[in-house]
Amino acid sequence: MTTIKNAALPNREDIPAEARWHLDDIYKTAAEWQAARDGITKTLAEIQKFRGRLSEPQALLDCLTKQDEMEITLSAVFAWARMMADTDTGNQEYQAAVASVMPLLDKAGAATSFIEPELLALPEEKLRALPEALPGLRKYRFHLQELLRLKAHILTPEQESFLARTGELRSSARNTYTVMVNADLKFPDTLGEDGRLTPLSESRYMKFLRSEKQDVRKDAFTKLFQTYHAFRNTFASLYSSSVKASQFTASMRHYATMREAALDANNIPVSVYDKAIEATRSYLPELHRYMAVKKQLLQLDELHMYDLYVPIVEKPAVSYPYEKAQPILREALQPLGQTYLHDLFHGLASGWVDRCENQGKRSGAYSWGVYGVHPFVLMSWNDTYESLSTLAHEMGHSMHSWYSSQKQEFTNSEYTIFCAEVASTTNENLLLEYMLQHAKGRERLYYLNLYLEQIRTTVFRQMLFAEFELETHTLAEKGEALTADRLENIWMKLNRDYYGEDVVLDKELAAEWSRIPHFYRPFYVYQYATGYAAAMTLSHNLRTKGEPAQKAYLDYLASGGSDYSITLLQNAGVDMTGTEPFKITFEKFRRCLDELGQTAK
């Protein structure tokens, strides 16, 4: 296989075929895609014919089957268009294809909005009996059970249709925020490594924060957040509008709080959120100790927030070409068993991964599962450990999607957001454990610090975010205004609690809350922390318990969305209703810090 290393990015057509994903596994041609897209409107009209007939078992089965067919096609149509566009963002035909699908998403929501209210209008005994009325309805048992659980929060058909039509309106604050940050917000030039001014952007910001030169880090930090601060009132207004939209939805659906509404979608008890905060708070002294060790190892008189991303130990001078990375990945993932390894490497050899940069290709990485086909991974391999870790992470997502689609009917195949980061992070942790196990000297210190940073940023930092959301939404529910001053004060207090007295909180940090796009998806970020804690527990079990843990884990991957997230994780050996997964995670943090701290003495 060929790894592209040229400074000048190649055109898409110059990328070797074996380094590109096989989107023609979804649709062979644009004409085939267009025919599938255009057929969706007809299917939506056919679904409408079942309105008023869902008490009849056969009509219900035919309706739900038709809905599944429509959703499978719609998701494939959107995936093909979006992934084609991501390989060449400058291609106007691809962008137009994506745009042509967007209205269908709203149409589908409106056309099917009658189904749930109509079913819930049935007597409860009849609805409970429907899955047993016909063999074909049995696969919808969990779905119908969910309807009954959520009955108090599902509206009349007219209200559901109205709510579906307000979707764009309710997301306007998020959309405006996205446009403002990505298109309109301009940052002044910042100090580069060579002492000259160089362009500053969100995508380049982390590069400056990892500079060994403190004046480079400080200048980027100051200029980025001063820019956000200049629009503090606008950002406060946008955030407040987003919270009010969530409050409207929660109220319409008869929830007491916005948090309850967000968590109830996946049947996550509010106590899970509270337990996560409780466990994290109990280990804040360890985070404070890490800050003190970091300050000492970096030999700084003062440790600022812009110093936190500087590696304590230089990155090992090791190159990981794609071919060299494969055996490392295979060895690192041995605890997952031979079945998993066989299927993963079959995917790598079968056009799942698009790994080379090219002109116009979207940056970043993701895994996209297409039911009835296979998953697809987008990334840009650059011969670093980060690329290897990204591949492990995204293939974790892909294997979750693959096993779920192989074992589950479409209606039960989609796993929840609460579970989404578990499989990916399990792979990432197994890889990091492998690297740590085989590293010595300063290389081992590098991986120790990498582990500490993962837990700091994915657990501690995300739970800080989670506390911010809880406090701001609670204030809104009390009728209090979310002004820029109020939001900044909350943010600075939480950062002081979390990072302790060894970190200087520069005044510019007060604007950081306005930089977090996930705050426009209420009560989403805590799932990064719970997902990491679950993955840490699973990787520990896989490394220590052998075949029973392997079987439980593969069963978990294959379970998709066939049961509640909490139950699926409990079956895999992780109880997220308690604090044990967080304790396992934070004790790992403590052990890594103990070892790293020895070098500071």
Side-chain angles (χ1 to χ4, degrees):
M1 294 185 181
T2 304
T3 301
I4 303 296
K5 296 182 179 179
N6 298 336
L9 293 179
N11 293 321
R12 179 67 182 175
E13 59 268 23
D14 296 327
I15 299 296
E18 70 270 16
R20 287 181 283 176
W21 52 21
H22 295 175
L23 293 185
D24 57 358
D25 288 347
I26 310 175
Y27 297 109
K28 300 293 184 186
T29 64
E32 184 180 339
W33 169 83
Q34 185 172 341
R37 182 200 63 187
D38 294 346
I40 291 172
T41 301
K42 178 182 177 182
T43 306
L44 291 175
E46 292 173 354
I47 291 173
Q48 286 288 305
K49 295 176 182 177
F50 295 102
R51 186 186 292 268
R53 299 174 51 205
L54 299 187
S55 61
E56 308 165 25
Q58 188 61 55
L60 175 61
L61 176 58
D62 292 343
C63 179
L64 295 180
T65 300
K66 189 65 69 175
Q67 182 185 31
D68 286 350
E69 292 173 1
M70 180 275 295
E71 290 184 353
I72 291 170
T73 302
L74 181 56
S75 62
V77 162
F78 181 71
W80 186 90
R82 175 63 184 274
M83 288 190 283
M84 290 291 284
D86 286 347
T87 61
D88 186 357
T89 56
N91 188 305
Q92 294 302 304
E93 290 185 12
Y94 295 161
Q95 300 302 327
V98 174
S100 73
V101 179
M102 301 309 292
L104 288 174
L105 300 177
D106 288 338
K107 286 182 180 178
T112 59
S113 63
F114 74 93
I115 297 175
E116 292 184 353
E118 187 172 319
L119 286 171
L120 286 174
L122 299 174
E124 186 171 324
E125 304 76 30
K126 183 173 180 60
L127 183 55
R128 289 189 184 280
L130 276 174
E132 309 306 323
L134 289 173
L137 284 172
R138 290 173 189 164
K139 63 185 176 185
Y140 298 105
R141 183 184 289 112
F142 179 64
H143 172 68
L144 296 176
Q145 175 184 318
E146 265 291 84
L147 281 184
L148 286 168
R149 185 182 71 82
L150 295 169
K151 182 174 183 177
H153 309 290
I154 295 175
L155 311 177
T156 66
E158 293 77 14
Q159 290 173 321
E160 287 291 344
S161 180
F162 165 77
L163 201 57
R165 290 197 300 271
T166 64
E168 186 174 351
L169 182 64
R170 286 181 286 119
S171 63
S172 60
R174 180 178 69 237
N175 295 337
T176 302
Y177 173 88
T178 300
V179 171
M180 183 175 177
V181 170
N182 293 326
D184 295 339
L185 211 61
K186 304 300 180 186
F187 303 99
D189 290 347
T190 191
L191 193 64
E193 293 286 333
D194 58 1
R196 299 178 181 178
L197 290 178
T198 186
L200 173 65
S201 65
E202 275 287 357
S203 61
R204 304 186 70 194
Y205 177 60
M206 288 308 300
K207 174 185 175 183
F208 295 115
L209 283 197
R210 293 191 176 100
S211 170
E212 293 183 2
K213 299 179 179 180
Q214 192 178 42
D215 56 346
V216 171
R217 303 193 299 267
K218 179 180 179 180
D219 200 49
F221 174 90
T222 301
K223 288 176 176 174
L224 184 105
F225 287 121
Q226 282 180 348
T227 303
Y228 276 94
H229 185 267
F231 298 94
R232 63 196 292 268
N233 294 314
T234 300
F235 282 122
S237 178
L238 286 173
Y239 181 64
S240 179
S241 296
S242 179
V243 171
K244 287 176 181 176
S246 299
Q247 194 170 9
F248 167 76
T249 304
S251 176
M252 281 284 290
R253 294 205 176 279
H254 312 299
Y255 284 102
T257 67
M258 289 177 270
R259 181 172 65 150
E260 182 185 339
L263 270 62
D264 195 46
N266 293 326
N267 198 25
I268 306 298
V270 169
S271 61
V272 170
Y273 201 101
D274 293 332
K275 290 282 187 182
I277 292 175
E278 173 192 330
T280 304
R281 283 266 173 183
S282 71
Y283 277 88
L284 286 183
E286 293 302 311
L287 181 58
H288 299 168
R289 183 163 69 99
Y290 177 41
M291 295 299 99
V293 170
K294 191 152 197 167
K295 177 181 177 181
Q296 188 172 353
L297 288 175
L298 290 174
Q299 299 180 339
L300 295 172
D301 294 330
E302 291 184 339
L303 183 70
H304 295 254
M305 294 298 286
Y306 50 75
D307 298 319
L308 298 191
Y309 290 91
V310 182
I312 290 173
V313 183
E314 68 278 4
K315 184 185 300 185
V318 181
S319 179
Y320 294 95
Y322 192 73
E323 296 84 352
K324 178 181 177 180
Q326 305 306 297
I328 296 174
L329 186 62
R330 185 181 291 275
E331 287 300 313
L333 300 185
Q334 283 294 321
L336 291 163
Q338 294 308 306
T339 298
Y340 184 97
L341 289 171
H342 173 272
D343 294 339
L344 184 148
F345 281 92
H346 171 76
L348 292 181
S350 302
W352 290 16
V353 181
D354 199 275
R355 60 180 175 83
C356 291
E357 287 187 275
N358 60 254
Q359 292 285 352
K361 181 178 177 179
R362 175 194 149 149
S363 61
Y366 62 69
S367 170
W368 198 319
V370 179
Y371 189 85
V373 186
H374 58 72
F376 295 84
V377 171
L378 179 135
M379 65 175 299
S380 294
W381 190 274
N382 59 8
D383 293 357
T384 61
Y385 173 77
E386 287 76 12
S387 288
L388 175 54
S389 183
T390 297
L391 181 63
H393 181 101
E394 299 303 341
M395 286 303 291
H397 283 307
S398 293
M399 297 306 291
H400 197 175
S401 299
W402 175 247
Y403 283 124
S404 175
S405 65
Q406 292 294 298
K407 299 293 185 180
Q408 299 295 331
E409 297 279 0
F410 175 76
T411 189
N412 294 321
S413 66
E414 186 174 352
Y415 44 86
T416 65
I417 295 297
F418 191 84
C419 291
E421 292 300 322
V422 174
S424 56
T425 308
T426 297
N427 278 13
E428 204 175 337
N429 283 349
L430 288 172
L431 174 64
L432 186 50
E433 287 283 354
Y434 176 85
M435 302 302 288
L436 193 58
Q437 180 183 349
H438 291 82
K440 297 179 180 179
R442 293 188 67 78
E443 185 178 357
R444 180 172 174 82
L445 294 179
Y446 172 81
Y447 288 115
L448 283 171
N449 186 58
L450 188 58
Y451 228 140
L452 289 166
E453 280 298 290
Q454 277 195 0
I455 298 173
R456 178 183 76 82
T457 57
T458 312
V459 184
F460 284 114
R461 182 169 163 81
Q462 298 301 325
M463 288 312 301
L464 185 159
F465 291 178
E467 287 206 53
F468 176 82
E469 283 196 281
L470 180 56
E471 190 163 346
T472 56
H473 284 72
T474 300
L475 286 172
E477 286 161 348
K478 292 179 179 178
E480 300 189 29
L482 298 180
T483 63
D485 285 344
R486 193 72 174 269
L487 295 167
E488 289 174 358
N489 289 337
I490 294 170
W491 190 255
M492 293 298 274
K493 181 183 181 303
L494 284 170
N495 274 274
R496 175 57 66 211
D497 289 349
Y498 270 69
Y499 288 99
E501 297 300 325
D502 277 293
V503 180
V504 176
L505 302 184
D506 300 279
K507 67 180 187 298
E508 290 83 4
L509 181 70
E512 187 181 28
W513 66 268
S514 62
R515 182 178 171 254
I516 313 301
H518 280 111
F519 287 158
Y520 290 82
R521 299 184 68 179
F523 300 103
Y524 180 93
V525 294
Y526 86 100
Q527 295 168 115
Y528 286 115
T530 55
Y532 192 96
M536 181 68 80
T537 306
L538 287 167
S539 62
H540 171 77
N541 292 346
L542 287 162
R543 287 182 289 106
T544 59
K545 297 182 179 179
E547 287 187 15
Q550 287 177 9
K551 183 181 185 307
Y553 185 66
L554 290 181
D555 287 345
Y556 164 73
L557 297 182
S559 64
S562 60
D563 208 333
Y564 298 118
S565 303
I566 294 292
T567 303
L568 295 176
L569 284 168
Q570 285 174 335
N571 293 341
V574 184
D575 184 5
M576 294 306 301
T577 63
T579 59
E580 186 64 19
F582 281 93
K583 181 178 179 181
I584 290 172
T585 300
F586 291 134
E587 284 300 317
K588 179 66 178 183
F589 184 89
R590 190 203 301 272
R591 291 193 299 274
C592 289
L593 182 56
D594 286 345
E595 185 174 346
L596 187 70
Q598 293 299 315
T599 66
K601 294 182 179 179

